[in-house]
Amino acid sequence: MRLQVLHLTGQSDPRSCALSPVQHAFLDDLPLPEEAKVRLNFPYDDALAPYRAVPLWLGSLRHVVLFWRVRLRRGAWVARHRPLVEAQLRRAERSLVLAGSIGLDLLGRLDLPRELLDRLTVVAYGAVATRPPACRTIRVASRRDHLARWWPHDVTVDAGHLDYLATPELAELCGRLATELAGEAA
């Protein structure tokens, strides 16, 4: 496969890596063939449970736990998740990664090889990341996002922390990048 687009967010539900209906709809609207759209989220293990809605307070609590787990047990966390993420990223010559919330930080902490990072373009929306990966990254933030507005960003939209995928500006940016990367991979 020449190009793939995939979501990489924290696990609000650690028993699942299924996409939410909003994430599916965002992929549906991108100007790419269906085979370029990855219908799983981090860590890309299709044996995990199906999607279940998670309240914001519980998802936030789980992200805090994940944030500390990654830092305190980094070697074990990387050993468990890096092979799955690497395998998914190697399925295409180029990847557009839609990294929401702590997804950018998770991607950076996987310590992916340089040759793989060179094939990635990341759109990090609502990004909360102390250790982003060393690859092409476009950060999108909002003044209304009380979690991510203090972090560096390249693009500003009007969204709350859970609303980025509904903004026309993010859809337009990702559509442009998908077209650009599809052209590069052709």
Side-chain angles (χ1 to χ4, degrees):
M1 178 181 347
R2 294 192 185 281
L3 172 66
Q4 66 180 339
V5 177
L6 60 155
H7 288 277
L8 196 158
T9 63
Q11 290 183 284
S12 297
D13 181 359
R15 295 175 287 180
S16 176
C17 59
L19 297 181
S20 72
V22 172
Q23 290 170 321
H24 276 293
F26 193 85
L27 288 179
D28 289 341
D29 290 342
L30 290 175
L32 293 170
E34 181 58 33
E35 61 269 11
K37 301 170 183 180
V38 177
R39 299 294 180 164
L40 287 173
N41 202 339
F42 173 82
Y44 315 106
D45 181 353
D46 59 4
L48 294 177
Y51 172 77
R52 294 180 313 173
V54 174
L56 177 59
W57 70 267
L58 181 56
S60 298
L61 178 62
R62 287 176 173 164
H63 285 177
V64 168
V65 170
L66 177 60
F67 181 87
W68 286 109
R69 181 179 297 135
V70 170
R71 280 150 185 81
L72 297 174
R73 301 187 56 212
R74 184 156 177 260
W77 183 84
V78 168
R80 180 176 180 198
H81 295 295
R82 182 176 166 174
L84 291 167
V85 174
E86 258 195 78
Q88 182 61 55
L89 293 175
R90 289 189 186 284
R91 291 183 181 160
E93 293 173 27
R94 304 278 304 163
S95 296
L96 175 57
V97 178
L98 308 174
S101 191
I102 67 169
L104 184 64
D105 195 69
L106 297 176
L107 187 61
R109 290 180 186 282
L110 288 169
D111 291 325
L112 296 170
R114 175 85 260 151
E115 57 88 15
L116 195 53
L117 290 172
D118 289 343
R119 297 164 33 184
L120 303 183
T121 296
V122 178
V123 174
Y125 57 93
V128 178
T130 57
R131 188 168 176 213
C135 63
R136 179 184 181 196
T137 303
I138 301 161
R139 291 178 178 229
V140 180
S142 170
R143 286 176 293 283
R144 289 193 312 135
D145 182 349
H146 300 294
L147 294 172
R149 69 180 174 176
W150 306 109
W151 298 87
H153 57 279
D154 307 296
V155 177
T156 304
V157 299
D158 186 29
H161 194 68
L162 297 178
D163 303 326
Y164 283 93
L165 294 178
T167 64
E169 298 91 351
L170 184 62
E172 182 182 319
L173 170 65
C174 292
R176 263 195 337 266
L177 284 169
T179 301
E180 172 193 319
L181 294 171
E184 289 176 11

